[in-house]
Amino acid sequence: MTFQPVMPPYNSSDPSASFVGSSCLDFLLIEMVPMAYRVANELETQALDAATYAVSPSNAATLAGGPVTSPPPGIGGATGGGSMKSGAGTYGGASSTAGATGATGTRKMDEEEERDAVFYRLEMLGYRVGQGLAERFSRDRPRFNDTLDIIKFLCKDLWIAVFRKQVDNLRTNHRGVYVLTDNTFRPLQRMSTEAGGQAVTRAQPFLWFPCGVVRGALAAMGIHATVHAESTELPSAIFQIKTIPGSTQQ
Amino acid sequence: MATIVPSIACLGVIGRNNNPLHLTILPSYNPSSASAITSDPEKQQQPATTISASTTASSAATGASPLRTPLQFSLLLSSTLDIFELRARAHAASGTGALSGDLGLLCAVDERLACYGYETNTGVRFVAVVDMRGRLLDPTLPSTTLIHGAIPETDRSSGGGAGNTGAAGGGAGTGTGTTGDDTSGLVNLPSLPPLSGIGILSPTSSSTTVTTSSSFIPGTSSRKPSLVASIASASTGLRDAELKPLFKAMQTSWVRLLQNPFFDLDEHVLPGGRGGRKITSKKFGEDMRRLGMGWIPGVGGFEGF
């Protein structure tokens, strides 16, 4: 655990400030990704099992293939819960284990679908976190008067609160696109593989939760945007924020 | 010497989509219904002994009721939305921009009611409707004796609230005590009966408070005038800063609500830009009520917020 000196805005004069060990946060962020994979696969299996109980194989195929709008009872409550309610809607196909057992729904959840399901899950988790963070840390800030103020708040205050450093570079085309570059992004900082280990690809899922945090924070401050993150070289991360025109309320 | 001080008549929370999220209506002290109870001014010197539990109970029961109906308060909150928008547009036009979300006085409705507003950075708006004559404050009694509705002052904070309030008032009084000269005329409002010596005491603790207050007063007499001065000076006209602690506390409560994992913000402020459900959290409602009851002009800070 690291005990760094406490810096603004969460200083000791803030009566409701509370602190968490940075190692705790790191472990949580690390563990979140495999957890999202497990949840996505498990939900898939259950959705498939439920589908095999359906009356006809054709029904089962459509149920497993298409977006399931109302998950079978027990799935949403047992694993989804809370903010994940809306996330339970999109199941891709079947997981590999379910594909072997379920005779009727032989569709295997391919990588693309699994990726989408996990992305959605992590992104929605981050979205909820971002909303709360924005509400909490924008409290003692001066007022934001335009979108750039909000983005700056994101790059400075929020980034420090979550990743303990500021964004290194911020660029904009002045038409609603903002590119945030962090040269040493904390969640990616300690990653290493042997040469040719496709480290960048494998690091990608770790950017989805921060994506959601950014999107949630922006949404809480009245900016609706799509956020996309990528990494070209390992400890660095690039976040691209595209604000959706007409939806901003600032 | 009883003083009429401002109190909160209504607290409202409005979402980013201009949708009502929460409304708390608090009772105001009403002199017309409480006028049956008068006490001799000569008895001011021994207030603790002149009070019987029955008169305090009846004054608490009859002397307080909400000033308007819920619908009227709701309409009042709706009408403040235009002012919020107008201020935002004025700031945008001038190019300076507001420094903080505290908008201060939004509008004065009549000689009693006035609306104050605060907007968070996330677009949530808090509105406090202040009743300028909503509370009877009797300085001759311990600081717990504030008439504000039928709800005992034990609501304000559990335990040592009495000592804390007095100390805070003393601190504020040193800062504003110089302005307390012109308050003597205000104390004797012509329309008000001399209501000295009437305080609200919770029915359960009234007897014990009466017995202890006679010994309590001499010890605290030094700081009591400053409390009175600060509060009385505030009643001549409320400064915007005096509502700041309230708004900060409301925001803290709102942030806490968001930290509840079962609270989904998108349900209450729909992302599409219109509508949303009201807040149903009981805890939030209780918090609002507690803050509204506990607010006294010039006495900053709420315990636990």
Side-chain angles (χ1 to χ4, degrees):
Chain A
M1 288 231 188
T2 54
F3 293 98
Q4 292 170 342
V6 186
M7 300 291 284
Y10 35 96
N11 51 13
S12 53
S13 67
D14 186 351
S16 46
S18 56
F19 305 98
V20 64
S22 57
S23 306
C24 285
L25 183 63
D26 284 350
F27 284 131
L28 182 69
L29 288 177
I30 290 169
E31 191 51 38
M32 204 169 266
V33 172
M35 185 204 71
Y37 271 97
R38 280 199 301 274
V39 169
N41 280 323
E42 205 154 295
L43 278 177
E44 211 42 61
T45 314
Q46 287 186 24
L48 197 75
D49 285 351
T52 52
Y53 292 137
V55 279
S56 71
S58 62
N59 278 353
T62 53
L63 193 59
V68 182
T69 46
S70 58
I75 290 184
T79 49
S83 59
M84 293 308 296
K85 269 181 304 210
S86 52
T90 49
Y91 303 124
S95 71
S96 55
T97 53
T101 53
T104 51
T106 46
R107 282 193 56 194
K108 203 177 160 200
M109 181 157 80
D110 59 35
E111 267 181 36
E112 186 88 355
E113 285 167 333
E114 186 190 36
R115 186 184 168 280
D116 282 354
V118 173
F119 170 79
Y120 190 78
R121 211 142 277 283
L122 281 172
E123 217 264 352
M124 286 309 285
L125 282 175
Y127 179 77
R128 177 67 175 81
V129 171
Q131 278 187 331
L133 284 175
E135 202 73 56
R136 167 70 181 81
F137 287 100
S138 71
R139 183 168 55 170
D140 299 319
R141 310 304 300 163
R143 231 174 133 55
F144 307 136
N145 292 310
D146 55 4
T147 310
L148 193 61
D149 276 354
I150 293 171
I151 301 281
K152 280 183 189 161
F153 164 77
L154 185 80
C155 293
K156 289 181 179 165
D157 302 60
L158 213 63
W159 222 262
I160 289 174
V162 186
F163 305 117
R164 308 192 288 288
K165 73 187 282 297
Q166 289 187 17
V167 165
D168 293 313
N169 189 8
L170 164 67
R171 281 175 296 152
T172 175
N173 68 349
H174 294 293
R175 273 191 232 101
V177 178
Y178 300 86
V179 179
L180 282 56
T181 312
D182 191 337
N183 291 326
T184 48
F185 192 53
R186 288 299 289 242
L188 308 184
Q189 204 178 26
R190 289 171 205 202
M191 286 184 182
S192 67
T193 55
E194 73 271 27
Q198 291 185 311
V200 171
T201 318
R202 286 163 66 184
Q204 192 71 27
F206 290 87
L207 294 171
W208 295 339
F209 179 78
C211 261
V213 172
V214 171
R215 194 172 70 89
L218 290 174
M221 293 180 284
I223 296 178
H224 293 276
T226 57
V227 181
H228 177 78
E230 60 175 14
S231 174
T232 48
E233 201 184 345
L234 246 195
S236 77
I238 298 162
F239 288 81
Q240 193 174 51
I241 300 166
K242 275 193 192 131
T243 57
I244 300 166
S247 65
T248 56
Q249 292 165 17
Q250 287 290 318
Chain B
M1 184 183 77
T3 317
I4 304 281
V5 296
S7 79
I8 302 291
C10 167
L11 288 177
V13 181
I14 303 168
R16 203 186 314 131
N17 297 342
N18 291 341
N19 54 322
L21 285 178
H22 182 82
L23 182 69
T24 293
I25 296 169
L26 297 166
S28 297
Y29 164 70
N30 194 350
S32 60
S33 59
S35 59
I37 305 137
T38 53
S39 66
D40 193 354
E42 301 301 319
K43 294 183 181 173
Q44 280 179 21
Q45 303 311 314
Q46 307 92 21
T49 53
T50 56
I51 299 171
S52 70
S54 62
T55 55
T56 51
S58 64
S59 77
T62 59
S65 60
L67 212 57
R68 303 281 163 96
T69 63
L71 176 66
Q72 285 172 318
F73 274 122
S74 178
L75 291 173
L76 209 54
L77 292 193
S78 301
S79 69
T80 61
L81 286 175
D82 285 338
I83 305 167
F84 273 108
E85 203 185 318
L86 214 63
R87 297 271 180 96
R89 219 179 287 160
H91 280 300
S94 65
T96 51
L99 270 179
S100 85
D102 198 352
L103 277 85
L105 179 67
L106 296 175
C107 60
V109 183
D110 55 20
E111 67 270 21
R112 278 189 80 164
L113 287 184
C115 299
Y116 289 77
Y118 182 90
E119 184 172 8
T120 70
N121 280 324
T122 53
V124 179
R125 277 151 290 183
F126 303 118
V127 179
V129 182
V130 178
D131 181 358
M132 297 307 277
R133 279 179 283 161
R135 188 197 303 247
L136 182 73
L137 184 86
D138 194 338
T140 55
L141 289 172
S143 53
T144 46
T145 55
L146 302 164
I147 284 189
H148 188 311
I151 289 168
E153 192 54 33
T154 47
D155 267 18
R156 182 179 160 80
S157 58
S158 56
N164 286 341
T165 311
T174 54
T176 56
T178 50
T179 59
D181 301 333
D182 56 343
T183 59
S184 54
L186 204 108
V187 172
N188 303 319
L189 283 170
S191 63
L192 294 170
L195 277 173
S196 55
I198 295 174
I200 179 170
L201 304 166
S202 69
T204 52
S205 67
S206 57
S207 57
T208 56
T209 315
V210 166
T211 50
T212 54
S213 58
S214 54
S215 63
F216 182 67
I217 286 173
T220 54
S221 59
S222 60
R223 72 179 172 199
K224 219 169 273 297
S226 62
L227 170 69
V228 175
S230 71
I231 291 169
S233 70
S235 69
T236 59
L238 212 52
R239 277 173 296 139
D240 293 347
E242 281 165 336
L243 280 141
K244 206 159 211 166
L246 176 74
F247 286 133
K248 283 283 164 202
M250 284 175 82
Q251 195 177 3
T252 305
S253 185
W254 164 252
V255 169
R256 279 183 196 162
L257 181 69
L258 255 128
Q259 286 167 347
N260 176 356
F262 300 115
F263 181 81
D264 187 4
L265 182 67
D266 283 349
E267 249 174 48
H268 297 272
V269 183
L270 295 179
R274 60 186 61 200
R277 282 174 38 208
K278 280 192 155 197
I279 295 172
T280 51
S281 162
K282 257 188 206 163
K283 189 172 183 303
F284 186 74
E286 273 167 32
D287 274 354
M288 288 298 118
R289 193 169 178 77
R290 200 152 63 89
L291 293 175
M293 299 299 284
W295 177 79
I296 305 168
V299 181
F302 291 91
E303 206 166 297
F305 285 93

